[in-house]
Amino acid sequence: DSGVTQTPKHLITATGQRVTLRCSPRSGDLSVYWYQQSLDQGLQFLIQYYNGEERAKGNILERFSAQQFPDLHSELNLSSLELGDSALYFCASSAASGGAQETQYFGPGTRLLVL
Amino acid sequence: EDQVTQSPEALRLQEGESSSLNCSYTVSGLRGLFWYRQDPGKGPEFLFTLYSAGEEKEKERLKATLTKKESFLHITAPKPEDSATYLCAVQARGGSYIPTFGRGTSLIVHP
């Protein structure tokens, strides 16, 4: 158990809908990272938050957004969902700002299925 | 652009048959190289971080090594419970320090 929690574990929804994925980092960790993992793309970095502020952005679609709250939990919002958004979404956390050599610890993931 | 290539894509071993997984990388300057284990439908589990060429780290039947161009994950006398996908990620100097992940090697160990 990494100490990172994610809810829900599974999510089934329809195209065009909007969903929210939630992540709680390990106790004391200030950084949260979101990743998308699909069979054909591997693990793709989406976005990082550090202590409530956006720190780095990766291959995140404009339909997706995220935020980190004062209690450090984070939410990833996915809107206008398409079939291709079906994937595993992982949250990871690290102690500080994601600087050099800092290890990320991953949560169990949310499996999203868009029908 | 940072690149990470893992080989082979898939590997089948008999229990007790030792082997190695490869992670080749291209980065402007390496800050750290990470190995993770991922079971189906679960999140990656951290195994090792390597920082400089020549460094080695061990954990049970796993040993990770690092050169200037690649890293190896050696598995000695594997057991069926070692079956998983092993991911390699590199962190480059400068920029956002976000690691770049390889596609992974899927390992199956048969009893």
Side-chain angles (χ1 to χ4, degrees):
Chain A
D1 185 355
S2 67
V4 179
T5 61
Q6 289 186 248
T7 58
K9 287 187 178 180
H10 303 279
L11 203 47
I12 302 175
T13 188
T15 55
Q17 294 299 305
R18 172 189 170 97
V19 298
T20 298
L21 282 53
R22 181 188 170 105
C23 167
S24 292
R26 296 186 316 160
S27 178
D29 283 359
L30 299 178
S31 269
V32 169
Y33 310 77
W34 286 98
Y35 289 85
Q36 180 191 57
Q37 188 177 45
S38 56
L39 286 175
D40 59 343
Q41 291 288 339
L43 201 60
Q44 298 289 314
F45 167 70
L46 296 177
I47 196 165
Q48 177 202 2
Y49 277 82
Y50 170 69
N51 204 22
E53 294 187 1
E54 183 182 306
R55 181 57 61 99
K57 221 168 186 177
N59 301 319
I60 188 166
L61 300 171
E62 286 191 8
R63 301 183 285 109
F64 296 0
S65 65
Q67 55 183 327
Q68 186 179 29
F69 295 87
D71 67 352
L72 301 178
H73 90 272
S74 178
E75 292 181 357
L76 179 67
N77 299 296
L78 315 176
S79 61
S80 302
L81 285 167
E82 302 175 358
L83 296 178
D85 297 327
S86 297
L88 274 167
Y89 291 84
F90 290 106
C91 166
S93 74
S94 67
S97 61
Q101 305 164 351
E102 195 165 283
T103 298
Q104 295 180 18
Y105 295 88
F106 284 78
T110 293
R111 182 177 293 278
L112 173 66
L113 180 60
V114 182
L115 300 176
Chain B
E1 183 180 333
D2 303 334
Q3 289 191 340
V4 179
T5 303
Q6 292 189 245
S7 61
E9 289 186 13
L11 182 63
R12 292 178 179 269
L13 299 173
Q14 288 298 125
E15 184 172 2
E17 179 187 2
S18 301
S19 188
S20 297
L21 312 182
N22 177 264
C23 172
S24 297
Y25 62 89
T26 304
V27 294
S28 55
L30 183 69
R31 280 284 189 186
L33 184 142
F34 307 87
W35 280 100
Y36 288 85
R37 168 196 169 123
Q38 185 175 23
D39 292 302
K42 297 191 176 181
E45 174 190 345
F46 171 72
L47 294 174
F48 305 108
T49 307
L50 301 169
Y51 301 116
S52 57
E55 188 175 2
E56 299 182 353
K57 288 194 176 175
E58 289 188 64
K59 179 180 180 180
E60 297 180 356
R61 294 177 293 281
L62 300 177
K63 178 180 176 181
T65 62
L66 181 65
T67 71
K68 289 186 177 180
K69 295 292 184 185
E70 58 192 350
S71 176
F72 291 94
L73 185 65
H74 307 278
I75 304 177
T76 302
K79 298 182 178 181
E81 52 262 42
D82 294 323
S83 298
T85 295
Y86 291 85
L87 299 172
C88 169
V90 297
Q91 186 187 53
R93 296 181 191 278
S96 67
Y97 299 117
I98 299 299
T100 299
F101 280 82
R103 297 291 299 272
T105 293
S106 174
L107 172 66
I108 297 176
V109 181
H110 296 284

